[in-house]
Amino acid sequence: MKLTNQAKGLLITTLGVLILCPDTLLVRLLDMDKWALIFYRGVMLCFCLTLATAISHGGETLKQFTKIGVPGLYIALLYTGSTLCFVTSLYYTTVANTLIIVSGSSMFAALYSRIFMAEKVPIRTLVTMVIVIASIGYIVSDSLGGGSIKGDILA
């Protein structure tokens, strides 16, 4: 059975949510210093990516890493920043706030594709963006008095 692009996207999104939700709770349960946690997450990610590359490319693993080039380094830096913000946000705000704010990332991707790539965005997507921004604003407004706005911004 061949999956459509829409079905693949839905499957990837669902798997991402299923992986991300328990991850946030584990961060809270570990009760570790945030920098130690970030370090170990980075080490595990490096190990898993290297292992996956070695399994799929065998003897050409090193060649695959060198082919990444400068764009790959930019991606690594952006991912590092994303992970730093995500983990740190969990230390300053609630898991629920972090996950709800992170869930808006696909909306920002659509917005950036409109701004930077001049892609057409359907009206229903624009309406959804307004609703998402208003919803996130409502959630964050609750944090203004509670002191967790720093975590919400990081999320």
Side-chain angles (χ1 to χ4, degrees):
M1 178 173 114
K2 184 170 169 116
L3 292 176
T4 65
N5 285 341
Q6 184 176 2
K8 287 178 190 175
L10 185 59
L11 180 64
I12 290 169
T13 303
T14 303
L15 289 173
V17 168
L18 291 174
I19 291 168
L20 193 60
C21 286
D23 179 44
T24 55
L25 296 174
L26 288 173
V27 167
R28 285 291 177 96
L29 289 174
L30 286 175
D31 195 31
M32 288 178 72
D33 174 65
K34 68 181 165 236
W35 294 109
L37 179 64
I38 290 168
F39 172 77
Y40 288 118
R41 284 173 65 104
V43 168
M44 287 305 299
L45 178 66
C46 179
F47 173 76
C48 290
L49 287 176
T50 302
L51 181 64
T53 305
I55 290 170
S56 63
H57 294 285
E60 295 196 7
T61 301
L62 187 58
K63 183 178 178 184
Q64 291 300 316
F65 280 118
T66 57
K67 280 176 53 176
I68 292 172
V70 174
L73 294 176
Y74 287 140
I75 292 168
L77 286 173
L78 289 172
Y79 185 78
T80 300
S82 172
T83 300
L84 285 169
C85 289
F86 175 74
V87 171
T88 306
S89 76
L90 293 171
Y91 283 83
Y92 292 105
T93 192
T94 63
V95 169
N97 275 20
T98 297
L99 290 177
I100 289 170
I101 293 168
V102 168
S103 72
S105 63
S106 59
M107 183 259 326
F108 287 107
L111 182 63
Y112 295 151
S113 70
R114 172 67 182 131
I115 293 170
F116 297 114
M117 300 171 67
E119 288 187 9
K120 294 196 186 278
V121 178
I123 191 73
R124 68 179 182 269
T125 304
L126 293 172
V127 170
T128 303
M129 286 178 178
V130 170
I131 293 169
V132 168
I133 290 171
S135 301
I136 290 174
Y138 176 74
I139 291 164
V140 171
S141 71
D142 189 43
S143 301
L144 292 175
S148 63
I149 191 70
K150 181 178 181 179
D152 290 343
I153 290 170
L154 287 166

